[in-house]
């Protein structure tokens, strides 16, 4: 999710937050409401829609003052709180809530550039935090953890995720040989207990692949817990993975089970595994060897039954070679490798993805579209799509939201796609930075950043080091271009 996009989906100009709730599972009888405090109307609508679709009762507020009134009136024990509110500091609001009801579980939401605020919030008693951009799985998983329930898997796009074991052959849209191999591999490995290591560029669907493995396994009725090792500060990651006991450090006001214990009986998905700190890699290796977890501050370990699926957008063996990833952990995890191919290597799969996305988003937005003009599909097949499937979904969502319907033509494509349209997939051996003369500095900047990302397999931290930029700056630039890393 980011400042203009729904979880796991794409940027969109959201309707007024007072719009009718999205149809979904009936609220659980007797369930206490969730309180969402978010001042951006479009984000408020999107977050509420996702939560209601998952069966939650949601109360919303746009300011700190309104949020405190709702908090006192509703009896909510789970609060989603944006730290940037127009009338008061979110941390002050959280402290007041915890003073009134210490059992309240607050999930704070912050921007990538404000990660230190998230750390401060955790130390002040927050139950969890979400750093934009985050996806629907992480969002619902955090809410389910806070509510003490089994996490709800994100509602799958049509044909994108296999939700039943017998549907394993229809895991992803696309009939290219590369995707058929991935589908066959998932079908073969889903029923086993083997650890799966998924590689691929950002936006290729690594988490969807992990979800499909979980859905096709005997553990499908158990929890699916996703943890992004690159999005959590290293000083909080051990607590996020293994949990902590009340009083084990400043701000630990209650016991927290951690992702490994929460996934007991199900699947633990560790995304961006190569970003994990070396000290925690040692503890993860011990966990894999013993199947026990020991929360921070605990005296005795606890046995858990968890299947591990991990992923990275880097070359894991290169990380081993550079001393950034333990070799023994690599061999322990790299049992069944699955590589998610980039969209540029999948032929006309982009056409199938675009058509399915157009149908889905039009239905969600109540619009009627008549497919794509041939020249649009031809352009889609020639583009490099550095953001892969995620970027395609962003583009289609933009089209659906900003146009009433009809056939999609070239003039309906978002402006962010125009620089990409001017530089389609280069021929083998071609210099991706050719043709700079005559372009604006903004276009050249984007070309250099995208070429650097492509050269480093989509790794934002690695590209940031090469470009001498902070990762948060690079994330913001990608977000402004409609590319979710």
């Amino acid at each position: 999710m980011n400042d203009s996009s729904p979880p796991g989906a794409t940027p969109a100009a959201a309707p007024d937050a007072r719009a009718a709730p999205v149809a979904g599972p009936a609220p659980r009888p007797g369930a206490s409401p969730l309180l969402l405090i978010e001042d951006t109307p479009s984000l408020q609508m999107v977050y509420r829609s996702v939560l209601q679709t998952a069966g939650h009762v949601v109360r919303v507020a746009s300011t700190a003052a309104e949020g405190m009134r709702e908090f006192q009136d509703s009896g909510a024990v789970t609060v989603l709180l944006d730290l940037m509110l127009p009338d008061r500091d979110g941390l002050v609001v959280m402290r007041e809530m915890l003073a009134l009801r210490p059992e309240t579980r607050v999930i704070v939401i912050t921007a990538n550039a404000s990660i230190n605020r998230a750390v401060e919030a955790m130390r002040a008693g927050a139950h969890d935090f979400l750093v934009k951009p985050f996806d629907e799985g992480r969002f619902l998983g955090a809410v389910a953890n806070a509510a003490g329930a089994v996490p709800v898997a994100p509602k799958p796009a049509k044909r994108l995720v296999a939700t039943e074991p017998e549907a394993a052959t229809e895991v992803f849209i696309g009939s290219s040989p590369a995707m058929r191999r991935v589908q066959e591999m998932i079908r073969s490995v889903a029923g086993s207990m083997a650890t799966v290591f998924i590689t691929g560029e950002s936006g290729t669907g690594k988490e969807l692949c992990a979800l499909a493995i979980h859905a096709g396994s005997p553990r499908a009725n158990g929890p699916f817990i996703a943890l992004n090792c690159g999005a959590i500060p290293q000083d909080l990651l051990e607590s996020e993975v293994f949990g902590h006991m009340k009083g084990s450090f400043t701000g630990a006001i209650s016991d927290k089970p951690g992702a490994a214990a929460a996934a007991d009986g199900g699947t633990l998905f560790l995304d961006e595994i190569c970003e994990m700190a070396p000290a925690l890699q040692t503890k993860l290796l011990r966990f894999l060897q013993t199947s026990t977890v020991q929360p921070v501050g605990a005296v005795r370990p606890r046995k858990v039954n968890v299947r591990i699926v991990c992923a990275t957008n880097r070359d894991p063996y290169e990380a081993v070679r550079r001393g950034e990833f333990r070799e023994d952990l690599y061999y322990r995890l790299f049992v069944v490798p699955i590589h998610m191919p980039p969209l540029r290597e999948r032929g006309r799969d982009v056409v199938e993805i675009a058509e399915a996305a157009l149908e889905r988003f039009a239905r969600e937005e109540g619009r009627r579209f008549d497919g794509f003009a041939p020249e649009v599909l031809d352009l889609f097949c020639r583009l490099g799509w550095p953001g892969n499937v995620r970027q395609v979904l962003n583009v289609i969502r933009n089209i659906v939201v900003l146009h009433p319907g009809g056939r999609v033509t070239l003039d309906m494509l978002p402006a962010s796609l125009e620089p990409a349209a001017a530089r389609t997939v280069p021929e083998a051996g071609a210099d991706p930075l050719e043709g700079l003369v005559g372009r604006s500095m903004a276009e050249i900047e984007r070309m250099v950043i995208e070429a650097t990302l492509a050269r480093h397999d989509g790794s934002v931290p690695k590209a940031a080091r090469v470009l001498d930029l902070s990762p948060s700056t690079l994330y913001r630039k990608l977000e402004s271009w409609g590319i979710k890393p």
Side-chain angles (χ1 to χ4, degrees), residues 419 423 433 435-450 477 481:
R423 56 184 196 288
L433 301 183
L436 298 183
V437 177
R439 298 187 183 276
S440 68
M441 285 302 297
E443 287 181 302
I444 293 172
E445 178 189 54
R446 179 168 177 174
M447 291 174 68
V448 171
I449 287 175
E450 289 185 354
K477 288 183 180 294
W481 298 331

Side-chain angles (χ1 to χ4, degrees), residues 167-229:
T169 57
E170 295 183 9
V171 173
F172 305 107
I173 296 173
S175 54
S176 64
M179 286 310 297
R180 285 201 299 269
R181 287 193 293 270
V182 170
Q183 292 163 3
E184 181 61 33
M185 179 70 77
I186 291 172
R187 184 169 54 189
S188 299
V189 75
S192 78
M193 270 294 291
T195 301
V196 179
F197 202 123
I198 307 168
T199 57
E201 297 176 7
S202 293
T204 51
K206 295 187 292 296
E207 184 165 351
L208 290 177
C209 179
L211 271 167
I213 293 168
H214 173 75
S217 74
R219 299 170 169 264
N221 292 327
F224 177 89
I225 303 294
L227 200 65
N228 189 326
C229 301

Side-chain angles (χ1 to χ4, degrees), residues 38 80 111 119 121 127 133 137 140 158 229 257 272 300 306 311 332 348 354 367 390 413 415 417 437 456 460 481:
E38 167 61 61
L80 287 151
V119 176
H127 179 83
L140 290 177
K158 183 179 180 183
C229 301
E272 302 304 342
R300 296 183 181 86
V306 172
R332 186 84 188 193
R348 290 187 64 81
R367 308 286 171 86
R390 189 180 290 130
L413 299 181
L417 204 61
V437 177
H456 294 90
V460 170
W481 298 331

Side-chain angles (χ1 to χ4, degrees), residues 451-465:
T452 305
L453 279 167
R455 191 166 296 172
H456 294 90
D457 298 321
S459 171
V460 170
K462 194 174 237 182
R465 286 196 295 271

Side-chain angles (χ1 to χ4, degrees), residues 330-452:
Y330 167 79
Y331 287 116
R332 186 84 188 193
L333 293 172
F334 209 78
V335 178
V336 179
I338 297 179
H339 180 69
M340 297 300 298
L343 193 54
R344 62 182 175 273
E345 295 178 3
R346 293 173 52 184
R348 290 187 64 81
D349 279 2
V350 64
V351 173
E352 297 180 40
I353 293 167
E355 290 175 342
L358 183 66
E359 177 188 344
R360 172 194 168 203
F361 295 151
R363 184 172 61 252
E364 291 176 359
E365 300 289 343
R367 308 286 171 86
R368 184 179 180 85
F369 283 84
D370 301 320
F372 297 89
E375 58 269 21
V376 174
L377 295 181
D378 179 64
L379 174 63
F380 282 2
C381 290
R382 290 186 288 111
L383 288 176
W385 298 109
N388 292 294
V389 177
R390 189 180 290 130
Q391 185 184 6
V392 177
L393 298 181
N394 285 353
V395 169
I396 305 305
R397 174 73 80 174
N398 179 283
I399 292 168
V400 171
V401 169
L402 297 181
H403 299 89
R407 173 166 283 206
V408 178
T409 56
L410 288 173
D411 63 321
M412 296 166 69
L413 299 181
S416 62
L417 204 61
E418 291 176 2
R423 56 184 196 288
T424 54
V425 178
E427 296 180 2
D431 183 354
L433 301 183
E434 281 184 359
L436 298 183
V437 177
R439 298 187 183 276
S440 68
M441 285 302 297
E443 287 181 302
I444 293 172
E445 178 189 54
R446 179 168 177 174
M447 291 174 68
V448 171
I449 287 175
E450 289 185 354
T452 305

